[in-house]
Amino acid sequence: MPISHEDVEHVAKLARLQLSAAEVEQMAQELGTILDYVARLDSLDLDTVDPNFYEASENLPQREDEPQDSLPQSDALENAPDDDGCFFIVPRVV
Amino acid sequence: MTASSPNLLFGTIDEARTALADGSITSTALTQSVFDHIEAIEADVHAFIRLDRSNAMEAAKEADQRREQGATLGPLDGIPISIKDQIVTKGLETTAGSKILSGYIPPYDATVVQRLKKAGAIILGKNNQDEFAMGSSTEYSAYGATSNPYDLSRVPGGSSGGSAAAVAAGAGFASLGTDTGGSIRQPAAFCGVVGVKPTYGRVSRFGSIAFASSLDQIGPITRTVRDAAHMLQAIGGPDPRDSTCRDTPMPDLLSSLEDGAKGLRIGIVKEAFEPDGLDPEISSRVMETANQLAAAGAELVPVSIPSLPHAIAAYYLTATAEASSNLARYDGVRYGQRADIGDVRKANLVDMYNQTRSEGFGPEVKRRILLGTYALSAGYYDAFYVKAQRVRTLIGRDFQRAFQQCDALCLPTSPVAPFAQGERTADPLQMYLADIYTIACNLARVCAVSVPAGLDASGLPVGVQFICNHMQEPMLLRVARACEVQTGGYNPPTPIQGLSAEGG
């Protein structure tokens, strides 16, 4: 079942994507199809099952919290679309 | 290529090593001959987004000088290889197959690239892929599609399709791919080569452009299992720059490689042979391979992964949610492309984000960002993302139960043979369903390998997959090698040999 155009537009706004009317229509159909498919998980009894968020973070090494050399500023700015040698230049924020 | 070694292009790392060691070829000549070969086939295969001739030839010269001085570094010294464009390379443009990163020159090497360079490997260039590793056919690259070397009208699989096609076509001895839901193993199966997805935490992801951080792993694509062992040995092990990388040193992968099939317990996964979409020829070829292993002394054990049919749904919720977050960084501020916004003093910031991302991302990436944002948005987080993590727990438990009965699981890598270009792009869900056999391992964080199991009746490669428990890479490669002995492994693709001969 397709999701509503309003839902697609809302999610697109959150994701900072601009969609044409045709893209909204297409995504409403395609996301609907995929969401119908994932609804199969509703058939599982998961109430007593813990979500697996942390298994991989057990026994992981931690380094000492000591300052180390980081990327030089000039290297960090090398790929900037617009910069003045010290800062990234962007349209006015506030 | 010298006349005495016409097949070295399609040979193994050890064969190249021997030729380098006995002086019948230099790394400079070998690297040059690989570039000549790439030139002859690349218009048809398109396995690379870019080549790095001058640095590669310079590195080859240095390898030759080390050899003259008796200071050769190890098995990879002087061996030409390539790297998926998802993995950053210092000073060499890295795009992850996306327009939004076009022109991006990384200021650092990924840990795996650093280790390969330190081992003396020669980096030929960057392999084509689906944009940000999202796809199973390498048709979603902003830089054109890659073709399957066994049938140029078909896809090589994906997302590491350029890596698998290059290795199958003799364009380098190995490549590094990334695997979030099968992106190393499925193209390896489609292109008749070996692809390893190591355990989550076995190989550093520092410098691997993030797609889904709880699933991504880097691994090798090679023509033989032994070559995969050489590559994994070089790239694996602890890295203080990746906090998800375990501090367990990489064990010796070569010492048990030839231990054979005798005494192995191979689990045949019941649910893997049931889906409607499974090509009967692939099903029988995989069972035939398992029976060959049994004849060689392995014991076949029936096992069950009851949660397997739910893996795709859990995967596409998990991977898209994490991708929507990871890809938020492409905003036109710090690197990559920025849309033309005119005078920056008059432009609007949010308009710049919107335009930059809408122009820079392709349709599959947009689809996944939208799905992931939806799954994480207010009111849906528990219903989608958290639920998927609960299913993940079930899948992990099922694997642990299965591994109490056997050393390795055996199942197909892909339910379908390499499909025709354009055949599946119109239906995203159909494309996702083809990942049924590979994605459960990423969700369970275990290790897996695809091994060539011969060609089907149409001459297309079939892959058989083995899965082992966490950190069991020595066992995984032993099983893979035992299988390779039975199936005969890699065979050079006929269409490529034709192209190469025509190209001189």
Side-chain angles (χ1 to χ4, degrees), chain A residues 11-12 15-16 18 23 30 34-35 37 40 42 44 46 49-53 56 60-61 79-82 88-91, chain B residues 104-105 243 245 309-310 332-336 338 344 347 352 354 357-358 366-367 370 373-374 385 387 389-390 393 433 445:
Chain A
V11 170
R16 300 283 189 237
Q18 217 165 34
E23 280 178 314
E30 289 174 351
I34 297 166
L35 290 168
Y37 177 80
R40 62 170 46 209
D42 295 342
L44 293 169
L46 297 168
V49 182
D50 286 332
N52 176 330
F53 288 130
L60 285 174
N79 282 287
D82 196 358
F88 298 107
I89 306 290
V90 295
Chain B
Y104 173 63
I105 313 283
S243 64
C245 194
H310 299 287
V333 174
R334 290 151 300 162
Y335 40 72
R338 173 187 288 186
V344 73
M352 182 194 85
N354 284 336
R357 292 166 61 80
S358 303
K366 285 182 190 168
R367 184 155 43 238
L370 290 170
T373 306
Y374 186 86
Y385 190 73
K387 185 177 285 175
Q389 302 321 300
R390 292 185 202 276
T393 301
L433 294 180
R445 302 187 169 100

Short mmCIF file of all heavy atoms in Angstrom, two decimals, chain A residues 11-12 15-16 18 23 30 34-35 37 40 42 44 46 49-53 56 60-61 79-82 88-91, chain B residues 104-105 243 245 309-310 332-336 338 344 347 352 354 357-358 366-367 370 373-374 385 387 389-390 393 433 445:
data_model
loop_
_atom_site.label_atom_id
_atom_site.label_comp_id
_atom_site.label_asym_id
_atom_site.label_seq_id
_atom_site.Cartn_x
_atom_site.Cartn_y
_atom_site.Cartn_z
N VAL A 11 9.17 13.36 5.33
CA VAL A 11 10.45 12.66 5.50
C VAL A 11 11.54 13.31 4.63
O VAL A 11 12.68 13.47 5.06
CB VAL A 11 10.26 11.16 5.16
CG1 VAL A 11 11.59 10.45 5.08
CG2 VAL A 11 9.38 10.49 6.19
N ALA A 12 11.16 13.72 3.43
CA ALA A 12 12.13 14.37 2.54
C ALA A 12 12.64 15.66 3.17
O ALA A 12 13.82 15.99 3.09
CB ALA A 12 11.49 14.66 1.18
N ALA A 15 15.12 14.83 5.78
CA ALA A 15 16.37 14.32 5.18
C ALA A 15 17.05 15.35 4.30
O ALA A 15 18.07 15.05 3.68
CB ALA A 15 16.07 13.05 4.38
N ARG A 16 16.51 16.57 4.24
CA ARG A 16 17.08 17.61 3.39
C ARG A 16 17.20 17.16 1.94
O ARG A 16 18.26 17.25 1.33
CB ARG A 16 18.45 18.06 3.90
CG ARG A 16 18.44 18.62 5.31
CD ARG A 16 17.90 20.04 5.33
NE ARG A 16 18.06 20.68 6.62
CZ ARG A 16 17.05 21.19 7.34
NH1 ARG A 16 15.81 21.11 6.90
NH2 ARG A 16 17.29 21.78 8.47
N GLN A 18 15.07 17.45 -1.82
CA GLN A 18 14.01 18.14 -2.53
C GLN A 18 13.51 17.18 -3.60
O GLN A 18 14.31 16.74 -4.42
CB GLN A 18 14.63 19.34 -3.22
CG GLN A 18 13.83 20.58 -3.27
CD GLN A 18 14.73 21.76 -3.63
OE1 GLN A 18 15.68 21.61 -4.41
NE2 GLN A 18 14.45 22.91 -3.08
N GLU A 23 8.81 12.39 -8.39
CA GLU A 23 9.61 11.61 -7.43
C GLU A 23 8.79 11.29 -6.18
O GLU A 23 8.90 10.20 -5.63
CB GLU A 23 10.88 12.39 -7.03
CG GLU A 23 12.00 12.30 -8.05
CD GLU A 23 13.22 13.14 -7.63
OE1 GLU A 23 13.05 14.30 -7.22
OE2 GLU A 23 14.34 12.61 -7.71
N GLU A 30 7.01 3.10 -3.94
CA GLU A 30 8.12 2.18 -3.64
C GLU A 30 8.31 1.98 -2.14
O GLU A 30 8.51 0.86 -1.67
CB GLU A 30 9.41 2.70 -4.28
CG GLU A 30 9.37 2.54 -5.80
CD GLU A 30 10.56 3.17 -6.49
OE1 GLU A 30 11.34 3.87 -5.82
OE2 GLU A 30 10.71 2.96 -7.70
N ILE A 34 7.93 -1.56 0.09
CA ILE A 34 8.97 -2.06 1.00
C ILE A 34 8.41 -2.17 2.42
O ILE A 34 8.66 -3.16 3.12
CB ILE A 34 10.22 -1.14 0.94
CG1 ILE A 34 10.84 -1.18 -0.46
CG2 ILE A 34 11.26 -1.58 1.97
CD1 ILE A 34 11.85 -0.07 -0.74
N LEU A 35 7.63 -1.18 2.84
CA LEU A 35 7.06 -1.22 4.20
C LEU A 35 6.06 -2.37 4.34
O LEU A 35 6.00 -3.01 5.39
CB LEU A 35 6.41 0.12 4.55
CG LEU A 35 7.42 1.26 4.76
CD1 LEU A 35 6.71 2.61 4.82
CD2 LEU A 35 8.27 1.05 6.01
N TYR A 37 6.38 -5.16 2.85
CA TYR A 37 7.23 -6.35 2.98
C TYR A 37 7.77 -6.48 4.42
O TYR A 37 7.74 -7.57 4.99
CB TYR A 37 8.39 -6.30 1.97
CG TYR A 37 9.32 -7.47 2.13
CD1 TYR A 37 9.00 -8.72 1.60
CD2 TYR A 37 10.50 -7.35 2.85
CE1 TYR A 37 9.84 -9.81 1.78
CE2 TYR A 37 11.35 -8.43 3.04
CZ TYR A 37 11.02 -9.66 2.50
OH TYR A 37 11.84 -10.74 2.69
N ARG A 40 6.10 -8.10 7.70
CA ARG A 40 6.15 -9.51 8.07
C ARG A 40 6.78 -9.72 9.45
O ARG A 40 6.56 -10.75 10.09
CB ARG A 40 6.91 -10.32 7.03
CG ARG A 40 8.38 -9.87 6.87
CD ARG A 40 9.20 -10.81 6.01
NE ARG A 40 8.51 -11.18 4.78
CZ ARG A 40 8.69 -12.32 4.15
NH1 ARG A 40 9.54 -13.20 4.61
NH2 ARG A 40 8.05 -12.58 3.05
N ASP A 42 5.94 -8.28 12.01
CA ASP A 42 4.88 -8.20 13.02
C ASP A 42 4.40 -9.59 13.46
O ASP A 42 3.79 -9.73 14.52
CB ASP A 42 3.67 -7.41 12.46
CG ASP A 42 4.04 -5.96 12.19
OD1 ASP A 42 5.07 -5.50 12.74
OD2 ASP A 42 3.33 -5.29 11.42
N LEU A 44 6.24 -11.96 14.39
CA LEU A 44 7.14 -12.54 15.39
C LEU A 44 6.78 -12.07 16.79
O LEU A 44 6.37 -10.92 16.98
CB LEU A 44 8.59 -12.12 15.08
CG LEU A 44 9.20 -12.67 13.80
CD1 LEU A 44 10.51 -11.95 13.50
CD2 LEU A 44 9.45 -14.17 13.94
N LEU A 46 8.21 -10.77 19.84
CA LEU A 46 9.50 -10.19 20.19
C LEU A 46 9.51 -9.54 21.56
O LEU A 46 10.52 -8.96 21.96
CB LEU A 46 9.90 -9.14 19.13
CG LEU A 46 10.09 -9.67 17.70
CD1 LEU A 46 10.18 -8.51 16.71
CD2 LEU A 46 11.36 -10.52 17.62
N VAL A 49 12.41 -10.38 23.73
CA VAL A 49 13.72 -10.40 23.07
C VAL A 49 14.36 -9.01 23.18
O VAL A 49 13.76 -8.02 22.78
CB VAL A 49 13.57 -10.79 21.58
CG1 VAL A 49 14.92 -10.85 20.90
CG2 VAL A 49 12.83 -12.11 21.45
N ASP A 50 15.57 -8.97 23.69
CA ASP A 50 16.27 -7.69 23.79
C ASP A 50 16.77 -7.26 22.42
O ASP A 50 17.21 -8.09 21.64
CB ASP A 50 17.49 -7.81 24.73
CG ASP A 50 17.06 -7.89 26.17
OD1 ASP A 50 15.98 -7.34 26.48
OD2 ASP A 50 17.78 -8.52 26.97
N PRO A 51 16.74 -5.94 22.17
CA PRO A 51 17.34 -5.48 20.92
C PRO A 51 18.86 -5.64 20.97
O PRO A 51 19.48 -5.39 21.99
CB PRO A 51 16.94 -4.01 20.82
CG PRO A 51 16.55 -3.60 22.20
CD PRO A 51 16.14 -4.85 22.93
N ASN A 52 19.44 -6.06 19.88
CA ASN A 52 20.88 -6.31 19.80
C ASN A 52 21.60 -5.03 19.40
O ASN A 52 21.91 -4.81 18.24
CB ASN A 52 21.12 -7.44 18.79
CG ASN A 52 22.59 -7.72 18.55
OD1 ASN A 52 23.42 -6.83 18.65
ND2 ASN A 52 22.90 -8.95 18.23
N PHE A 53 21.81 -4.14 20.36
CA PHE A 53 22.55 -2.91 20.07
C PHE A 53 24.01 -3.03 20.47
O PHE A 53 24.88 -2.45 19.86
CB PHE A 53 21.98 -1.73 20.88
CG PHE A 53 20.65 -1.25 20.43
CD1 PHE A 53 19.61 -1.09 21.33
CD2 PHE A 53 20.43 -0.93 19.09
CE1 PHE A 53 18.38 -0.61 20.93
CE2 PHE A 53 19.19 -0.45 18.69
CZ PHE A 53 18.16 -0.29 19.59
N ALA A 56 28.34 -5.95 19.97
CA ALA A 56 29.64 -5.71 19.34
C ALA A 56 30.52 -4.78 20.15
O ALA A 56 31.70 -4.68 19.90
CB ALA A 56 29.44 -5.15 17.94
N LEU A 60 35.63 -4.23 23.86
CA LEU A 60 36.39 -3.49 22.86
C LEU A 60 37.48 -2.68 23.56
O LEU A 60 37.28 -2.20 24.66
CB LEU A 60 35.47 -2.58 22.04
CG LEU A 60 34.63 -3.32 21.02
CD1 LEU A 60 33.64 -2.37 20.37
CD2 LEU A 60 35.49 -3.97 19.95
N PRO A 61 38.61 -2.55 22.89
CA PRO A 61 39.72 -1.83 23.50
C PRO A 61 39.42 -0.33 23.61
O PRO A 61 38.71 0.20 22.77
CB PRO A 61 40.87 -2.08 22.53
CG PRO A 61 40.22 -2.32 21.22
CD PRO A 61 38.92 -2.98 21.52
N ASN A 79 39.49 20.27 0.63
CA ASN A 79 38.35 19.81 -0.17
C ASN A 79 37.10 20.70 -0.02
O ASN A 79 36.04 20.36 -0.53
CB ASN A 79 37.99 18.37 0.21
CG ASN A 79 38.94 17.36 -0.42
OD1 ASN A 79 38.88 17.12 -1.62
ND2 ASN A 79 39.83 16.80 0.37
N ALA A 80 37.24 21.80 0.69
CA ALA A 80 36.05 22.63 0.93
C ALA A 80 35.55 23.27 -0.36
O ALA A 80 36.35 23.80 -1.14
CB ALA A 80 36.38 23.71 1.95
N PRO A 81 34.23 23.26 -0.60
CA PRO A 81 33.69 23.95 -1.77
C PRO A 81 33.97 25.45 -1.72
O PRO A 81 34.13 26.09 -2.76
CB PRO A 81 32.19 23.67 -1.70
CG PRO A 81 32.03 22.48 -0.82
CD PRO A 81 33.17 22.53 0.15
N ASP A 82 34.02 26.04 -0.51
CA ASP A 82 34.27 27.47 -0.36
C ASP A 82 34.91 27.68 1.01
O ASP A 82 34.38 27.24 2.03
CB ASP A 82 32.92 28.22 -0.46
CG ASP A 82 33.11 29.72 -0.70
OD1 ASP A 82 34.27 30.18 -0.76
OD2 ASP A 82 32.08 30.42 -0.82
N PHE A 88 35.27 27.46 6.80
CA PHE A 88 34.37 27.08 5.71
C PHE A 88 33.39 28.23 5.50
O PHE A 88 32.86 28.76 6.49
CB PHE A 88 33.58 25.81 6.06
CG PHE A 88 34.44 24.60 6.30
CD1 PHE A 88 34.64 24.10 7.58
CD2 PHE A 88 35.05 23.96 5.23
CE1 PHE A 88 35.43 22.98 7.80
CE2 PHE A 88 35.84 22.83 5.44
CZ PHE A 88 36.04 22.34 6.73
N ILE A 89 33.16 28.61 4.26
CA ILE A 89 32.21 29.68 3.97
C ILE A 89 30.86 29.05 3.61
O ILE A 89 30.79 28.21 2.71
CB ILE A 89 32.69 30.55 2.80
CG1 ILE A 89 34.09 31.08 3.07
CG2 ILE A 89 31.69 31.68 2.54
CD1 ILE A 89 34.19 32.12 4.15
N VAL A 90 29.81 29.46 4.32
CA VAL A 90 28.45 28.96 4.03
C VAL A 90 27.49 30.16 4.03
O VAL A 90 27.83 31.22 4.55
CB VAL A 90 27.98 27.94 5.10
CG1 VAL A 90 28.83 26.68 5.05
CG2 VAL A 90 27.98 28.54 6.50
N PRO A 91 26.30 29.96 3.46
CA PRO A 91 25.30 31.04 3.55
C PRO A 91 25.01 31.35 5.02
O PRO A 91 25.19 30.51 5.90
CB PRO A 91 24.07 30.45 2.86
CG PRO A 91 24.60 29.39 1.96
CD PRO A 91 25.80 28.83 2.65
N TYR B 104 36.66 14.69 -4.77
CA TYR B 104 37.16 14.59 -3.39
C TYR B 104 38.52 13.87 -3.36
O TYR B 104 38.63 12.72 -3.78
CB TYR B 104 36.15 13.84 -2.52
CG TYR B 104 36.67 13.54 -1.13
CD1 TYR B 104 36.99 14.57 -0.25
CD2 TYR B 104 36.87 12.23 -0.71
CE1 TYR B 104 37.49 14.30 1.01
CE2 TYR B 104 37.36 11.95 0.56
CZ TYR B 104 37.68 12.99 1.41
OH TYR B 104 38.18 12.72 2.66
N ILE B 105 39.53 14.56 -2.87
CA ILE B 105 40.88 13.99 -2.75
C ILE B 105 41.16 13.77 -1.27
O ILE B 105 41.42 14.73 -0.55
CB ILE B 105 41.96 14.96 -3.32
CG1 ILE B 105 41.57 15.53 -4.68
CG2 ILE B 105 43.32 14.28 -3.36
CD1 ILE B 105 41.73 14.59 -5.84
N SER B 243 37.34 2.19 16.84
CA SER B 243 36.96 1.70 18.17
C SER B 243 36.11 0.44 18.10
O SER B 243 35.86 -0.19 19.11
CB SER B 243 36.20 2.79 18.93
OG SER B 243 34.99 3.08 18.26
N CYS B 245 37.08 -2.10 16.21
CA CYS B 245 38.01 -3.16 15.80
C CYS B 245 38.55 -3.84 17.05
O CYS B 245 39.05 -3.18 17.95
CB CYS B 245 39.15 -2.51 15.00
SG CYS B 245 40.15 -3.68 14.09
N PRO B 309 14.21 -16.34 7.11
CA PRO B 309 13.24 -15.64 6.25
C PRO B 309 12.93 -14.21 6.69
O PRO B 309 12.32 -13.46 5.93
CB PRO B 309 11.98 -16.52 6.33
CG PRO B 309 12.48 -17.86 6.77
CD PRO B 309 13.66 -17.59 7.64
N HIS B 310 13.34 -13.82 7.92
CA HIS B 310 13.06 -12.46 8.40
C HIS B 310 14.26 -11.53 8.26
O HIS B 310 14.20 -10.36 8.61
CB HIS B 310 12.62 -12.51 9.86
CG HIS B 310 11.37 -13.29 10.06
ND1 HIS B 310 10.14 -12.84 9.67
CD2 HIS B 310 11.18 -14.54 10.54
CE1 HIS B 310 9.23 -13.75 9.92
NE2 HIS B 310 9.83 -14.81 10.45
N GLY B 332 27.54 19.77 1.45
CA GLY B 332 28.10 20.85 0.64
C GLY B 332 28.92 21.85 1.43
O GLY B 332 29.20 22.94 0.94
N VAL B 333 29.32 21.49 2.67
CA VAL B 333 30.07 22.44 3.49
C VAL B 333 31.56 22.13 3.52
O VAL B 333 32.39 22.98 3.21
CB VAL B 333 29.51 22.49 4.94
CG1 VAL B 333 30.38 23.38 5.82
CG2 VAL B 333 28.07 22.99 4.92
N ARG B 334 31.92 20.90 3.90
CA ARG B 334 33.33 20.60 4.20
C ARG B 334 34.08 19.92 3.07
O ARG B 334 35.28 20.03 2.94
CB ARG B 334 33.42 19.77 5.47
CG ARG B 334 33.05 20.55 6.71
CD ARG B 334 32.48 19.66 7.76
NE ARG B 334 31.27 18.99 7.28
CZ ARG B 334 30.76 17.91 7.82
NH1 ARG B 334 31.33 17.36 8.84
NH2 ARG B 334 29.66 17.37 7.31
N TYR B 335 33.37 19.12 2.27
CA TYR B 335 34.01 18.42 1.15
C TYR B 335 32.93 18.00 0.18
O TYR B 335 31.74 18.08 0.48
CB TYR B 335 34.81 17.20 1.63
CG TYR B 335 34.13 16.41 2.71
CD1 TYR B 335 33.01 15.62 2.44
CD2 TYR B 335 34.59 16.45 4.03
CE1 TYR B 335 32.38 14.91 3.43
CE2 TYR B 335 33.95 15.74 5.04
CZ TYR B 335 32.86 14.97 4.73
OH TYR B 335 32.22 14.27 5.71
N GLY B 336 33.35 17.54 -0.98
CA GLY B 336 32.39 17.09 -1.98
C GLY B 336 31.76 18.25 -2.72
O GLY B 336 32.18 19.40 -2.59
N ARG B 338 29.05 21.07 -3.98
CA ARG B 338 28.03 21.98 -3.49
C ARG B 338 27.26 22.46 -4.71
O ARG B 338 27.87 22.79 -5.73
CB ARG B 338 28.67 23.17 -2.77
CG ARG B 338 27.68 24.25 -2.38
CD ARG B 338 28.34 25.50 -1.81
NE ARG B 338 28.89 25.29 -0.47
CZ ARG B 338 29.42 26.27 0.28
NH1 ARG B 338 29.47 27.50 -0.19
NH2 ARG B 338 29.91 26.00 1.47
N VAL B 344 27.04 33.59 -2.28
CA VAL B 344 26.88 32.92 -0.99
C VAL B 344 26.29 33.86 0.07
O VAL B 344 25.62 33.43 1.00
CB VAL B 344 28.23 32.29 -0.53
CG1 VAL B 344 29.21 33.37 -0.07
CG2 VAL B 344 28.03 31.27 0.58
N ALA B 347 22.52 33.68 -0.50
CA ALA B 347 21.88 32.36 -0.57
C ALA B 347 21.32 31.95 0.80
O ALA B 347 21.73 32.49 1.84
CB ALA B 347 22.89 31.33 -1.06
N MET B 352 20.65 25.50 0.22
CA MET B 352 21.93 24.93 -0.23
C MET B 352 22.00 23.43 0.11
O MET B 352 22.38 22.61 -0.72
CB MET B 352 23.10 25.65 0.43
CG MET B 352 24.44 25.12 -0.04
SD MET B 352 25.82 25.66 0.98
CE MET B 352 25.77 24.42 2.27
N ASN B 354 19.46 21.36 0.60
CA ASN B 354 18.47 20.65 -0.21
C ASN B 354 18.95 20.45 -1.65
O ASN B 354 18.87 19.35 -2.19
CB ASN B 354 17.15 21.43 -0.24
CG ASN B 354 16.38 21.27 1.06
OD1 ASN B 354 16.56 20.31 1.79
ND2 ASN B 354 15.53 22.25 1.35
N ARG B 357 22.15 18.06 -1.94
CA ARG B 357 21.86 16.64 -1.74
C ARG B 357 20.96 16.09 -2.84
O ARG B 357 21.12 14.94 -3.26
CB ARG B 357 21.23 16.44 -0.35
CG ARG B 357 22.23 16.73 0.76
CD ARG B 357 21.57 16.87 2.12
NE ARG B 357 20.86 15.68 2.56
CZ ARG B 357 21.44 14.61 3.11
NH1 ARG B 357 22.75 14.57 3.25
NH2 ARG B 357 20.72 13.58 3.49
N SER B 358 20.02 16.90 -3.32
CA SER B 358 19.12 16.42 -4.36
C SER B 358 19.85 16.22 -5.68
O SER B 358 19.56 15.28 -6.43
CB SER B 358 17.96 17.40 -4.55
OG SER B 358 17.29 17.57 -3.32
N LYS B 366 18.75 8.07 -2.55
CA LYS B 366 17.62 8.86 -2.04
C LYS B 366 16.55 7.95 -1.44
O LYS B 366 16.01 8.22 -0.37
CB LYS B 366 17.00 9.69 -3.17
CG LYS B 366 17.83 10.89 -3.57
CD LYS B 366 17.11 11.68 -4.65
CE LYS B 366 18.02 12.73 -5.22
NZ LYS B 366 17.49 13.34 -6.45
N ARG B 367 16.25 6.85 -2.15
CA ARG B 367 15.23 5.92 -1.67
C ARG B 367 15.61 5.40 -0.29
O ARG B 367 14.80 5.35 0.64
CB ARG B 367 15.11 4.76 -2.67
CG ARG B 367 14.03 3.76 -2.38
CD ARG B 367 13.57 3.06 -3.65
NE ARG B 367 14.65 2.66 -4.53
CZ ARG B 367 14.76 3.05 -5.81
NH1 ARG B 367 13.85 3.80 -6.37
NH2 ARG B 367 15.78 2.64 -6.53
N LEU B 370 15.41 8.08 2.45
CA LEU B 370 14.01 8.34 2.82
C LEU B 370 13.45 7.22 3.68
O LEU B 370 12.81 7.46 4.70
CB LEU B 370 13.16 8.54 1.56
CG LEU B 370 13.43 9.83 0.78
CD1 LEU B 370 12.71 9.78 -0.57
CD2 LEU B 370 12.99 11.05 1.56
N THR B 373 15.10 7.45 7.11
CA THR B 373 14.60 8.59 7.87
C THR B 373 13.19 8.29 8.39
O THR B 373 12.86 8.60 9.54
CB THR B 373 14.57 9.85 6.97
OG1 THR B 373 15.87 10.03 6.41
CG2 THR B 373 14.20 11.09 7.77
N TYR B 374 12.38 7.66 7.53
CA TYR B 374 11.03 7.24 7.92
C TYR B 374 11.10 6.30 9.13
O TYR B 374 10.41 6.48 10.13
CB TYR B 374 10.37 6.55 6.74
CG TYR B 374 8.91 6.19 6.92
CD1 TYR B 374 7.91 7.11 6.64
CD2 TYR B 374 8.54 4.93 7.35
CE1 TYR B 374 6.57 6.79 6.79
CE2 TYR B 374 7.20 4.58 7.51
CZ TYR B 374 6.22 5.51 7.22
OH TYR B 374 4.91 5.19 7.38
N TYR B 385 13.06 0.45 13.74
CA TYR B 385 14.48 0.22 14.03
C TYR B 385 14.67 -0.71 15.23
O TYR B 385 15.43 -1.69 15.15
CB TYR B 385 15.21 1.55 14.26
CG TYR B 385 16.71 1.38 14.33
CD1 TYR B 385 17.45 1.13 13.17
CD2 TYR B 385 17.39 1.43 15.54
CE1 TYR B 385 18.83 0.95 13.22
CE2 TYR B 385 18.76 1.25 15.60
CZ TYR B 385 19.48 1.02 14.43
OH TYR B 385 20.83 0.83 14.49
N LYS B 387 12.56 -2.80 16.53
CA LYS B 387 12.06 -4.14 16.19
C LYS B 387 13.11 -4.91 15.38
O LYS B 387 13.37 -6.10 15.62
CB LYS B 387 10.75 -4.04 15.42
CG LYS B 387 10.11 -5.39 15.15
CD LYS B 387 8.78 -5.28 14.46
CE LYS B 387 7.70 -4.82 15.40
NZ LYS B 387 6.43 -4.58 14.72
N GLN B 389 16.25 -4.58 15.51
CA GLN B 389 17.36 -5.00 16.38
C GLN B 389 16.96 -6.21 17.24
O GLN B 389 17.80 -7.04 17.59
CB GLN B 389 17.82 -3.84 17.27
CG GLN B 389 18.29 -2.60 16.52
CD GLN B 389 19.07 -2.91 15.26
OE1 GLN B 389 20.13 -3.55 15.32
NE2 GLN B 389 18.57 -2.47 14.12
N ARG B 390 15.67 -6.33 17.55
CA ARG B 390 15.21 -7.52 18.28
C ARG B 390 15.31 -8.76 17.38
O ARG B 390 15.74 -9.83 17.82
CB ARG B 390 13.76 -7.33 18.75
CG ARG B 390 13.59 -6.29 19.82
CD ARG B 390 12.14 -6.26 20.32
NE ARG B 390 11.82 -4.99 20.94
CZ ARG B 390 12.07 -4.68 22.22
NH1 ARG B 390 12.63 -5.57 22.99
NH2 ARG B 390 11.76 -3.50 22.69
N THR B 393 18.73 -10.05 17.30
CA THR B 393 19.06 -10.93 18.43
C THR B 393 18.65 -12.37 18.12
O THR B 393 19.41 -13.31 18.37
CB THR B 393 18.35 -10.44 19.71
OG1 THR B 393 18.77 -9.10 19.97
CG2 THR B 393 18.68 -11.32 20.90
N LEU B 433 15.53 -8.65 -2.49
CA LEU B 433 15.25 -10.06 -2.16
C LEU B 433 16.39 -10.98 -2.60
O LEU B 433 16.56 -12.07 -2.04
CB LEU B 433 13.92 -10.51 -2.79
CG LEU B 433 12.65 -9.82 -2.25
CD1 LEU B 433 11.41 -10.33 -2.96
CD2 LEU B 433 12.52 -10.00 -0.75
N ARG B 445 26.99 -10.59 12.58
CA ARG B 445 28.39 -10.14 12.70
C ARG B 445 29.41 -11.28 12.56
O ARG B 445 30.55 -11.17 13.00
CB ARG B 445 28.61 -9.41 14.02
CG ARG B 445 27.70 -8.19 14.21
CD ARG B 445 28.09 -7.40 15.45
NE ARG B 445 27.42 -6.12 15.52
CZ ARG B 445 26.34 -5.87 16.26
NH1 ARG B 445 25.81 -6.80 17.00
NH2 ARG B 445 25.80 -4.66 16.28
#
